[in-house]
Amino acid sequence: MAVFPRRRHAAVALAAAAALLVTAGCGGGNEPGDGKITLTVDVFGQFGYEQLYQDYMAANPDVKIVERGTGTNLDEYSPKLTQWLAAGRGAGDVVAIEEGLLVEYKANPANFVNLLDHGAADLKGNFLEWKWNAGLTADGKQLIGLGTDVGGIAICYRKDLFEKAGLPTERDAVSKLWPTWPDYITTGERFTAAKTGASFLDGATNTFNTILLQTAGNTTGYSYYDTSGNLVVDSNPSVRQAWDTTMDIIDSGLSGKYGSWSEEWVSAFKQSKFATIACPAWMTGVIEANAGTAAQGKWDIARVPGNGGNWGGSHLAVPKQSKHQAEAIELAKFLTSAKGQIGAFKAKGPLPSSPQALDDPAITGATNAYFSGAPVGAIFGTGAKSLKPVYMGPKNQAVRTEVENAVRTVELGQRSPAQGWTDAVSNAKKAAAK
Amino acid sequence: MTVQLDARPPVVPAPQRSSGRLSRLDTQLSPYLYIAPFFLLFAVFGVYPLAYTFWVSLHDWDLLGADHPFVGAENYTRLLADADFWHALVNTLGIFVISTVPQLLAALWMANLLNRGLRARTGWRMAVLVPNVTSTAAVAIVFGVIFGREFGMINWLLDLVGLDAIGWKSNRFASWVAISAMVDWRWTGYNALILLAAMQAIPRDLYEAAAIDGANRVRQFWSVTVPLLKPTIIFCAIIATIGGLQLFTEPRLFHSGTNPIRGGPMRESQTLTMYMFENAFAPHYNFGYGSAVAWLLFALIAIVAAVNVLLLRRLGGDRRQKGAAR
């Protein structure tokens, strides 16, 4: 029995250690000792901030920056962020918010620092007007987030697969293949007929989103919700038109049916299983991350069928729960400055929302080595300043999910296009009511 | 027959001179103090969340919203009329049945094998537990890849033998089978060890007596082993019920890509816990509705566990005398 007291000591020591760990964990960003403030930045996908952090830390030796969530897809990121905000702890000091979710977060502005109280008003000229306005609450009194990037759409394609299929590979010639979406389908049919072992495009949902946001931007200016917040899935001609075009693409057997962001999608990138992908500016970083260095120089970028468009783009916000609000606001201002946006664009491709940055030679003259030296600045930047934003309604994310899922069921052959449309409309209405 | 090992409470000689009241208080109270930690923890981590969830379920509770108006039973009435809820319920029960039944039968068979005189017995016994030690996330991701539509191993094998590829993730029943395979792989060994422990407590002489009466191994198994294992089998069944009906990680990680919480574009393998998450968190952030799902799930587990117990009580019920003979 002599062992017993010693065991008890061990248990006490363990418990004490555990308690210490817990308190240390709750201590938040302050590391005792080096006197530095740790700022946590929460992102998803590829924001391209790594070098900017280094620059910022060099200029501000008392700040240490930790980034979380690179490569995470938005569907994993947004519930986490919402939980942190609801719980009142856990969120980073600077958090990225995607445009589709911004409306939901703006409905509860108390979760965020009002950047207008911290001198942000002076920065207004640094952002495209609509991008700035998107960060404001409905009454215009609170600025939730500073704009990072905007969409800008192109089509990224594999030169090697195009060559195999006997199609032109040079980017201007490829752009000429598809002035419109029906031409894109015709090209796809030529590609498919050549039997390269690859599909013409990755999956229908990405393309559907692109067509929808393009059509909506060029016509009504809204997609699933009109600007007064009514659900218009079944009455907005833009939605129906995007749906019908997507159904034609599926019907022509062009889709590889890889669900976007799934593991199979990533594998398909690696094994060059598809030749084209709808390509908002931020997608170039995703392609590079997924396809890897082996595919360097095999990709190129052509213009999108139809007439420009905007998909995606985010804002940086500072949650009220941050313990270092002042420092976090400074960091957010730095990352969204023209210099910051240029740095991010060079690293991972998100297109700046700052007119100064868009005019900067660093952008207008930018090329991307991974994409065969494509002049990405010119391709994405041209027309970026005249982009017409698409209004996102209160439950945009939930509704979009339903419609995308309906597209997916048709693509997988589980539903006919007519049944799929019925599902899309009824499920979207149900989701909007939740 | 066997030595009675249950120790009777030691008879403590009453201290003669010390304060009798204090020592009586001690004998009366200390047992409660000793078991108090469990009940305290249970109250904090069990009862309180349960009660709070119920409170939440009576409100229209936007996760980020500032006010949460009281709506009474509205969440429940809406939920009972919600086709997606019933769909998730059928999925959950379907996956539960096709995973739990083979799992417990396989565990019983495996335990019976391990109970024999095997070479390197301890090694085998450790080995069956290995799948359980692996992280669920890793298992789910590996199985998700094995059951992939295009690059998956199973479909590749099917292709080798000239069969059509199966859409493991987009066919409702196929996705149930794939997820059940995952669950079985992980939990069969665990249950086998529990059953094995119980088997070893069965006195050898019962088997000897049975052998003398002319019962072969199979007969011995069904007439001696299984009836005597009844309490343990009930225990395993209840644990499997709780685990099975709360299934989340496996089906969630089985699907990747956009909105995996739906378990496929048509909710092919969305379980109740996934449906709860979908409503309480992304993309709906309706905490009240999600909490209502949680409570109905709680009720469902209680019902299924009760049905299990009733069914298993009947298992070998006519051999009660033999059990009592111990």
Side-chain angles (χ1 to χ4, degrees), chain B residues 285-303:
Chain B
Y285 303 115
N286 189 339
F287 216 37
Y289 200 65
S291 300
V293 179
W295 260 84
L296 286 190
L297 176 63
F298 176 71
L300 176 74
I301 291 178
I303 292 169

Side-chain angles (χ1 to χ4, degrees), chain B residues 228-255:
Chain B
L228 290 180
L229 281 184
K230 214 174 64 185
T232 318
I233 294 176
I234 292 178
F235 169 80
C236 286
I238 290 175
I239 295 292
T241 307
I242 296 171
L245 295 182
Q246 292 185 339
L247 200 62
F248 179 80
T249 316
E250 284 93 345
R252 160 61 186 79
L253 290 173
F254 184 62
H255 297 275

Side-chain angles (χ1 to χ4, degrees), chain A residues 154 156 171 279 281 284 300-301 345-346 349 351-352 358 362-382:
Chain A
C156 293
R171 66 182 76 90
C279 205
T284 55
D300 208 327
I301 309 175
F345 176 79
K346 282 185 175 165
L351 187 66
L358 285 168
I363 299 288
T364 52
T367 57
N368 188 327
Y370 190 85
F371 290 86
S372 312
V376 278
I379 293 173
F380 291 113
T382 309

